[in-house]
Amino acid sequence: MRSRFQPLNTLRNQIFIGFILVMLIMMSVAGAFIYLNVSHLLKDSAERHIGQTAVQASGRMDALIGQMDSLTEQVANHPSIQHILLKERNGGKVNFGQRQSLLQVMHSYQAYMPSVGSLELYTAEGKMLFPIREGSLEDRIGQADIREANQMKGRLVWIGIDPEDPRSLLAIRQVSLVDRWFSRGGYLITRMERSYFRLSDASAVNEEADETMLLVDRQGQLLSGEPLNQTDLSGVLHSKTQTVHIGEREYVKAIQQSERTGWSLLILIPVSVVTDGITVLRTTLIISASLGAVLFLFMSFMLSTLITRPIGHLIQAMRRSREGALALNPEPAAAVELRELNAEYNTMIVDINELIRVICEKEVLQSQTELKALQAQINPHFLFNTLDAFNWSLQEKGEEELAGLMVSMSRLFRYVIEPAHHDSWVTLGEEMAQIRRYLELMEMRLGERLSWQIHMPSEAAQIPLPKLLIQPILENSILHGVENRIGNGRVEISVTPSTRSGWTKIAVIDNGPGMTLEELAAVRTALMGGSVCQSKGTGMGLVNVQRRLALYYDNESYPTDGVLIHSAEQEGTVVAFEIPDEYGGR
């Protein structure tokens, strides 16, 4: 299972998925925080709006109740009504004419308030005085309402729905006789249309907000307002929850109870209206989150590409390097870290190419040296046997000096043409012994024209160096210095400690004719450019020595200045170089 998804486990996909997870977490937290807080604000705003509407409607209802209370009080205190009820209370008989006179009084008040359907007047014993017909108070309303009217002592009592006309509402008040110490003189019943308590105009935003205002009595019966599917609203009134279900709709309720009537003003707003803002908010958040997700995905893709593309190019360059193409990766990167990584890779490629070049040159040089050594080893045993025969022959003839020269020549040849499997590194003491044998042979050839000296401290004898490193310089010194000089020539090999700690300086000094400035510049240019200028005898010139010094010593641990030449006309020449005391060895 893991191997199936292994190709997808790339740095680019990891960055991409990581960014997506971070984006989802951040957007979820931010969206939830915004949604909850804004929802809470919208809910509080809706509740405040409902409360304000309830207060406004309650104020309007109190104003209507106050108007009706004032009207009935004026009717109850009218002189004609007070006179008739006082006469009835004192045991007098109210005739038809007196009852007929009440018609004008009642009509005048009804004209003042058209919503009042009728006014009914009863005596203290419950006998109807107006309208002019037979009837009693107990037949009109219940005993409980009469007792409540007596308890209120002249204040208006709201009964509710008219039993005889469900489209009307009833209110009763006890008429107190002013001239009889405000004793009970009778009862005044007011019948009004339900539209009197039309409260839907209390708020200018009711229609826009789809609000429903209902006036409900103590028993939960609807007194005023648009009828709903549920006529018994007692359950709605006594519900402790903020939302109620009426029919198939869910409403948010607000109840404002009137202290003067005991009725309740019920305001219902559909939940869909309250949550409409939350729905818009949710839709806005979803759209914003979708757009943000698309933008974030695009930016994540671009950022991951910006990071991984240079790495991919660098990997391709490494693969080409593994196949043998050690080429630089010129791909620029935007990030500083990636630029540094690419620069380090290019530096490594340059160093590797340089190391390969040095190794190749070293191998070529070693191959050439071994080839020359092999060429010089043509039948070496025959050569050594011949030299030994000369040595014994000269000793038999008493030529001890010539015999010694034969021994020196034999040892010289053995040192030069030593088999290739022997180590190419020797000690400075071994190299100086070879130099001494060579100088002895040159002294025999040149006679008094050559004098030489070797100065080497004993502690320098064990310093390692490549074999035949001094020989080419010495040959050039004899060839171009001593042999080109008229008179005696002198060669000196000096081994001294260098000014650099742990290094030794080797110098070959002659008193030959020296070089002009042009000749010296040409030699130095040849050394720097690597052009070959071979010297007679060994076949290895100064350039060969320069290249060997560079191959063996020119690195970070053992930097070398190469071959240094100082010369002037008629003052001789000094050729020197420095080697470390602890490098190489057998």
Side-chain angles (χ1 to χ4, degrees):
M1 188 69 177
R2 294 182 60 184
S3 60
R4 181 184 303 176
F5 296 99
Q6 190 67 27
L8 300 177
N9 188 21
T10 61
L11 178 61
R12 181 177 189 173
N13 291 341
Q14 291 177 0
I15 296 175
F16 192 63
I17 294 175
F19 283 166
I20 291 176
L21 292 178
V22 172
M23 181 269 295
L24 291 177
I25 294 174
M26 292 181 62
M27 294 189 68
S28 299
V29 173
F33 178 78
I34 295 174
Y35 181 78
L36 292 176
N37 282 273
V38 176
S39 299
H40 183 70
L41 291 176
L42 291 175
K43 183 178 179 181
D44 290 345
S45 177
E47 291 178 353
R48 286 195 301 270
H49 171 71
I50 294 174
Q52 291 174 358
T53 303
V55 171
Q56 293 175 3
S58 178
R60 180 176 176 82
M61 187 176 71
D62 289 341
L64 294 175
I65 293 173
Q67 290 178 4
M68 189 59 63
D69 186 51
S70 176
L71 176 67
T72 56
E73 184 179 3
Q74 292 178 17
V75 174
N77 293 329
H78 193 275
S80 298
I81 294 177
Q82 286 283 324
H83 175 72
I84 292 174
L85 291 178
L86 180 60
K87 182 179 180 180
E88 181 70 24
R89 185 65 174 167
N90 291 330
K93 185 70 174 178
V94 179
N95 56 35
F96 179 80
Q98 291 175 328
R99 294 175 66 182
Q100 184 71 25
S101 64
L102 293 176
L103 180 61
Q104 184 178 0
V105 175
M106 298 299 185
H107 283 177
S108 64
Y109 284 106
Q110 286 182 253
Y112 175 75
M113 189 172 291
S115 58
V116 176
S118 65
L119 294 172
E120 301 176 7
L121 184 63
Y122 295 86
T123 64
E125 289 76 18
K127 179 182 177 181
M128 178 181 286
L129 294 177
F130 185 84
I132 305 173
R133 68 170 184 265
E134 296 296 327
S136 65
L137 184 61
E138 293 181 357
D139 295 336
R140 188 74 172 90
I141 60 175
Q143 288 291 335
D145 296 326
I146 298 174
R147 287 195 299 269
E148 186 176 359
N150 293 332
Q151 292 174 359
M152 297 302 292
K153 297 185 181 300
R155 285 181 292 179
L156 189 64
V157 176
W158 293 87
I159 299 174
I161 299 175
D162 185 358
E164 297 179 358
D165 184 7
R167 296 173 299 176
S168 302
L169 301 177
L170 294 180
I172 185 174
R173 75 181 303 154
Q174 176 185 294
V175 179
S176 300
L177 298 176
V178 178
D179 295 335
R180 193 180 172 86
W181 306 287
F182 292 95
S183 62
R184 183 178 61 191
Y187 300 94
L188 178 64
I189 292 181
T190 304
R191 182 176 64 85
M192 67 207 74
E193 299 176 359
R194 287 194 180 189
S195 60
Y196 177 73
F197 289 104
R198 186 180 182 89
L199 303 174
S200 58
D201 295 334
S203 175
V205 296
N206 285 341
E207 294 182 359
E208 297 179 2
D210 197 16
E211 295 176 352
T212 301
M213 294 188 183
L214 304 176
L215 186 61
V216 184
D217 63 8
R218 298 183 184 92
Q219 290 74 34
Q221 289 185 329
L222 180 63
L223 302 179
S224 177
E226 294 294 332
L228 299 174
N229 295 333
Q230 183 174 344
T231 56
D232 186 7
L233 300 174
S234 59
V236 176
L237 288 177
H238 298 94
S239 175
K240 296 182 179 180
T241 59
Q242 186 69 25
T243 58
V244 293
H245 286 82
I246 300 178
E248 297 180 355
R249 300 189 69 179
E250 185 179 10
Y251 295 87
V252 178
K253 70 174 183 178
I255 300 176
Q256 192 78 18
Q257 190 173 20
S258 173
E259 296 180 356
R260 301 175 67 176
T261 62
W263 296 345
S264 297
L265 178 62
L266 179 62
I267 300 177
L268 300 175
I269 299 180
V271 174
S272 59
V273 175
V274 177
T275 59
D276 185 53
I278 299 177
T279 304
V280 173
L281 172 64
R282 182 169 58 247
T283 304
T284 304
L285 287 177
I286 292 175
I287 295 175
S288 301
S290 301
L291 294 177
V294 172
L295 180 61
F296 197 89
L297 289 176
F298 176 74
M299 295 301 296
S300 300
F301 178 79
M302 294 300 297
L303 182 59
S304 61
T305 302
L306 188 65
I307 294 175
T308 57
R309 179 178 293 174
I311 297 178
H313 291 163
L314 188 59
I315 292 175
Q316 293 177 1
M318 290 181 178
R319 289 175 179 172
R320 291 193 298 269
S321 300
R322 185 178 60 186
E323 296 172 357
L326 295 177
L328 299 179
N329 182 33
E331 183 69 22
V336 176
E337 294 81 0
L338 295 177
R339 286 202 302 269
E340 292 182 357
L341 179 62
N342 191 72
E344 290 296 329
Y345 170 78
N346 289 337
T347 302
M348 182 185 68
I349 291 298
V350 171
D351 293 341
I352 292 176
N353 287 332
E354 179 65 20
L355 181 60
I356 292 175
R357 185 189 65 79
V358 171
I359 293 175
C360 289
E361 290 183 0
K362 185 183 294 186
E363 292 293 333
V364 170
L365 183 60
Q366 185 173 355
S367 298
Q368 292 176 353
T369 304
E370 291 178 356
L371 179 60
K372 292 182 181 296
L374 289 174
Q375 290 174 352
Q377 291 180 18
I378 299 175
N379 202 2
H381 294 289
F382 171 77
L383 177 61
F384 295 151
N385 291 336
T386 302
L387 291 176
D388 287 340
F390 286 159
N391 176 38
W392 290 110
S393 176
L394 291 173
Q395 285 185 1
E396 290 176 355
K397 294 179 180 181
E399 298 290 341
E400 297 293 337
E401 184 178 358
L402 291 176
L405 291 176
M406 288 296 106
V407 173
S408 298
M409 185 177 297
S410 176
R411 292 178 179 176
L412 177 64
F413 287 160
R414 287 181 184 274
Y415 186 84
V416 173
I417 62 176
E418 191 174 30
H421 63 272
H422 285 200
D423 202 338
S424 61
W425 285 76
V426 296
T427 64
L428 188 55
E430 293 172 338
E431 185 77 359
M432 285 302 173
Q434 165 67 11
I435 294 297
R436 188 180 300 276
R437 289 191 290 269
Y438 175 76
L439 288 173
E440 289 175 352
L441 292 175
M442 290 296 102
E443 186 179 13
M444 183 189 71
R445 185 174 72 87
L446 297 176
E448 294 181 355
R449 293 183 58 193
L450 173 64
S451 62
W452 53 273
Q453 287 183 340
I454 297 177
H455 301 285
M456 182 184 71
S458 58
E459 59 270 14
Q462 298 302 319
I463 296 176
L465 79 165
K467 186 170 65 175
L468 298 176
L469 190 62
I470 306 175
Q471 182 78 19
I473 301 175
L474 181 59
E475 290 180 3
N476 283 342
S477 181
I478 294 175
L479 177 63
H480 301 289
V482 176
E483 293 187 5
N484 289 339
R485 175 183 173 81
I486 299 175
N488 296 332
R490 179 174 54 84
V491 176
E492 180 181 349
I493 296 91
S494 173
V495 179
T496 58
S498 173
T499 55
R500 285 193 294 178
S501 177
W503 286 69
T504 297
K505 181 178 180 181
I506 301 174
V508 178
I509 307 168
D510 66 71
N511 62 346
M515 290 182 283
T516 64
L517 294 178
E518 291 78 8
E519 292 173 340
L520 181 60
V523 172
R524 289 176 176 173
T525 302
L527 291 177
M528 294 178 60
S531 59
V532 178
C533 55
Q534 294 183 341
S535 61
K536 184 173 62 177
T538 64
M540 300 178 65
L542 292 178
V543 174
N544 196 317
V545 176
Q546 175 82 349
R547 292 172 62 187
R548 293 180 72 190
L549 287 173
L551 290 174
Y552 286 114
Y553 298 112
D554 193 11
N555 53 54
E556 294 182 359
S557 301
Y558 301 95
T560 181
D561 296 329
V563 177
L564 302 177
I565 302 177
H566 301 280
S567 181
E569 289 187 87
Q570 305 305 323
E571 293 183 6
T573 302
V574 178
V575 180
F577 61 88
E578 295 181 354
I579 59 174
D581 296 344
E582 298 180 358
Y583 180 84
R586 297 184 178 183

